[in-house]
C-alpha cells in the first residue's frame, strides 16, 4: 500500500528549528512531485512548499527564506527544515504527493500522510 | 499569487439532498482546479482533479465542473459520511493555494 508517514514534530521555542521527515512506502519520492501542506489549529489548509522530481523547489511567501524542502533518495524520504520558527508556524504539517502520470500537471495531491504537529511556543 | 474564494463558507443540508459548492479564482486558471474532502482529525482526501475528473475510488455522487475562474463541486444525494469540510486548490501557478474551505453540516 502506498503510504507517507511524517515525523519530527514537537514543541519548539520561537526562533528555534525543527526538521520534519516524510517516509514513503511503496512509493518513490524522487519520481514524484512532493508537497508540504500545513493546517493551523481550527484553520484551513495552507500550501507551504513543493519539490519537483527534477529538483526545483518553490515556497510560500510566509516561509520563504526560513524553510527548506529536500529529499534523500537513498532513504526515500522527504524533509522540511524549518528555521526561525514563529508562533504562526504552529500547525499540523502534512506531506503529500502528486504521482507521476498522465495528469500530473494538475498538481493534485493524491497521497497524503497523517500529519505531524508542530507547536511553537515559549 | 492566485486567491481562491469558496462560497458558502458553511452549508446545512440533510441526507439525500444535493448541494453545490463554488470556488472562484482571482485570475483565469483554465481547469487547473482540484477538490478535497477533509474530516476532523484526518488528512484531506482528493476527490476531483482537473476541475472535472473524479479520482479513482471516489463515490459516484461527486462531480466537478468549471473553467477559467468559476468552478463548482456538486454532491448529489448526500450520505452521512459526506458531512465534512471541502477545499478547492489551484495547480495553475505556485504557490498552489487552497480556498478557505466550506463546512458541510447536517
Amino acid at each position: 500500500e502506498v503510504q507517507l508517514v511524517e515525523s519530527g514534530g514537537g514543541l519548539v521555542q520561537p526562533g528555534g528549528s525543527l526538521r520534519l521527515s516524510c517516509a514513503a512506502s511503496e512509493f518513490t519520492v524522487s519520481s514524484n512531485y512532493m508537497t508540504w501542506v500545513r493546517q493551523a489549529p481550527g484553520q484551513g489548509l495552507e500550501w507551504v512548499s513543493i519539490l519537483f522530481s527534477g529538483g526545483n523547489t518553490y515556497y510560500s511567501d510566509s516561509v520563504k527564506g526560513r524553510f527548506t524542502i529536500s529529499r534523500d533518495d537513498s532513504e526515500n524520504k522527504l524533509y522540511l527544515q524549518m528555521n526561525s520558527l514563529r508562533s504562526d508556524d504552529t500547525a499540523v504539517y502534512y506531506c503529500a504527493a502528486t504521482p507521476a502520470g498522465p495528469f500530473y500537471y494538475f498538481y493534485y495531491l493524491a497521497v497524503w500522510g497523517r500529519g505531524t504537529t508542530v507547536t511553537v511556543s515559549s | 499569487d492566485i486567491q481562491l474564494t469558496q462560497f458558502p463558507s458553511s452549508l446545512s443540508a440533510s441526507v439525500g439532498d444535493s448541494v453545490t459548492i463554488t470556488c472562484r479564482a482571482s485570475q483565469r486558471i483554465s481547469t487547473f482546479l482540484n477538490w478535497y474532502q477533509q474530516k476532523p482529525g484526518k488528512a484531506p482526501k482528493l476527490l476531483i482533479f482537473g476541475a472535472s475528473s473524479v479520482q479513482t475510488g471516489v463515490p459516484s455522487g461527486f462531480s466537478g465542473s468549471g473553467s477559467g475562474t468559476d468552478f463548482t463541486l456538486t454532491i448529489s444525494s448526500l450520505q452521512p459520511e459526506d458531512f465534512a469540510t471541502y477545499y478547492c486548490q489551484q495547480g495553475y501557478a505556485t504557490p498552489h493555494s487552497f480556498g478557505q474551505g466550506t463546512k458541510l453540516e447536517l
Side-chain angles (χ1 to χ4, degrees), chain B residues 14 16 18 23 27-28 33 41 43 48-49 51 54 58 62 78-81 85 87-88 91 95 103 105:
Chain B
S14 300
S18 291
C23 178
Q27 66 183 74
R28 296 183 66 83
L33 195 285
I48 305 283
F49 63 91
V54 181
V58 172
F62 290 89
L78 280 168
Q79 300 301 302
E81 60 269 24
T85 300
Y87 295 92
C88 57
K103 187 173 184 180
E105 300 175 296

Side-chain angles (χ1 to χ4, degrees), chain B residues 34-84:
Chain B
N34 311 309
W35 289 97
Y36 302 86
Q37 176 194 70
Q38 187 181 33
K39 297 181 180 179
K42 301 293 186 181
K45 172 187 173 183
L46 176 68
L47 299 174
I48 305 283
F49 63 91
S52 61
S53 295
V54 181
Q55 173 69 348
T56 301
V58 172
S60 58
F62 290 89
S63 63
S65 66
S67 179
T69 61
D70 293 331
F71 302 87
T72 59
L73 172 70
T74 298
I75 313 170
S76 59
S77 190
L78 280 168
Q79 300 301 302
E81 60 269 24
D82 298 335
F83 292 91

